[in-house]
Amino acid sequence: MITSPDNPALREIRRLRAAPARSRSGLFAAEGEDLLAAAESNGWHPVRRLVAAGSGLPGEEVDPELLASVSSLGSGTRAIGVFHRSFSELPSAGMRIHLHGLSDPGNVGTCVRSAHALGAVGVGIGPGTADPFGPKAVRASMGSIFALPVAEVEDPLALPGTKIALVAHGGDPELPDRLADPVVVVGSERDGLPQSVAGGSDLRWTIPIADGAESLNAAAACAIALHAVNRISDR
């Protein structure tokens, strides 16, 4: 049983909270039994699994207070898994989303969760977007990070299919009746998409909202767009 705060496994968990450490090591951590179960059901195998002593869970036992001390959750956790940080190729067909400059990790994780729930086949991660394998993003994905291919994509306009840029103002109020292999492109909540991306997309769509409302949260807009596009996209 691990009883020292200086144990290398615990030091690694602390380091993996930071993006540079995740990038250098190619690893990330996921906390909680539900997330670890989601990983297992999607064929992800941890390189290390730490569990609270006495919990009866499989893994290397750690003094419960020590495990709680390295947890990024306020309430602590009974299980932490360390996984290889794996980016994939984005499928060339089917509904996909691309996150461009979306810097809030909670929004990134929520968009991954919505993509999984609403039938997307992959998620592109563009420049300036928060690490989808960071602790907050992984938690917000509710395990969907393990279910979809996630790819690093520099230029969404190079992706095959119909690019649909979400813009807060000035876009088309309606989508066409049919869409072939749509890519929903979501920008930052504060600044939106760069003009080069929005202007170069096949469609610019503004989700209609009530008079007097400024805009939608980026993750909410992503979910609405995925629902709308999924209903009209070619199967």
Side-chain angles (χ1 to χ4, degrees):
M1 184 174 74
I2 295 174
T3 58
S4 169
D6 294 323
N7 182 275
L10 299 183
R11 291 203 305 267
E12 180 180 62
I13 299 296
R14 295 187 190 99
R15 285 196 299 268
L16 292 177
R17 294 181 187 177
R22 295 193 297 274
S23 181
R24 286 193 303 269
S25 67
L27 301 172
F28 72 101
E31 299 185 44
E33 296 151 69
D34 290 343
L35 282 181
L36 298 192
E40 183 177 358
S41 67
N42 285 285
W44 289 62
H45 303 292
V47 298
R48 175 175 289 115
R49 182 184 175 109
L50 304 178
V51 300
S55 66
L57 298 171
E60 187 174 6
E61 290 196 333
V62 183
D63 177 88
E65 290 187 6
L66 277 181
L67 191 64
S69 74
V70 300
S71 171
S72 63
L73 302 174
S75 58
T77 187
R78 299 202 311 164
I80 300 177
V82 175
F83 297 86
H84 287 292
R85 184 171 172 263
S86 177
F87 287 100
S88 308
E89 291 293 321
L90 200 63
S92 60
M95 184 174 70
R96 291 143 290 161
I97 64 169
H98 175 79
L99 308 179
H100 203 89
L102 193 58
S103 60
D104 182 271
N107 279 338
V108 170
T110 301
C111 286
V112 172
R113 181 183 182 184
S114 295
H116 183 205
L118 295 169
V121 297
V123 178
I125 302 296
T129 297
D131 181 9
F133 297 106
K136 189 174 180 180
V138 171
R139 289 198 303 273
S141 82
M142 295 297 288
S144 293
I145 191 67
F146 299 111
L148 287 178
V150 177
E152 293 181 302
V153 177
E154 186 71 22
D155 180 12
L157 302 183
L159 295 172
T162 306
K163 271 69 72 178
I164 306 160
L166 296 189
V167 295
H169 307 285
D172 296 326
E174 295 183 5
L175 291 169
D177 293 335
R178 301 291 292 175
L179 287 168
D181 298 320
V183 181
V184 176
V185 186
V186 183
S188 74
E189 195 161 301
R190 181 180 179 86
D191 300 320
L193 291 167
Q195 181 54 40
S196 59
V197 173
S201 295
D202 301 296
L203 298 169
R204 289 161 48 94
W205 184 39
T206 297
I207 299 171
I209 59 177
D211 291 342
E214 171 59 27
S215 64
L216 287 163
N217 167 273
C222 179
I224 292 168
L226 286 167
H227 175 68
V229 168
N230 188 39
R231 296 180 66 186
I232 59 175
S233 60
D234 295 336
R235 299 294 182 141

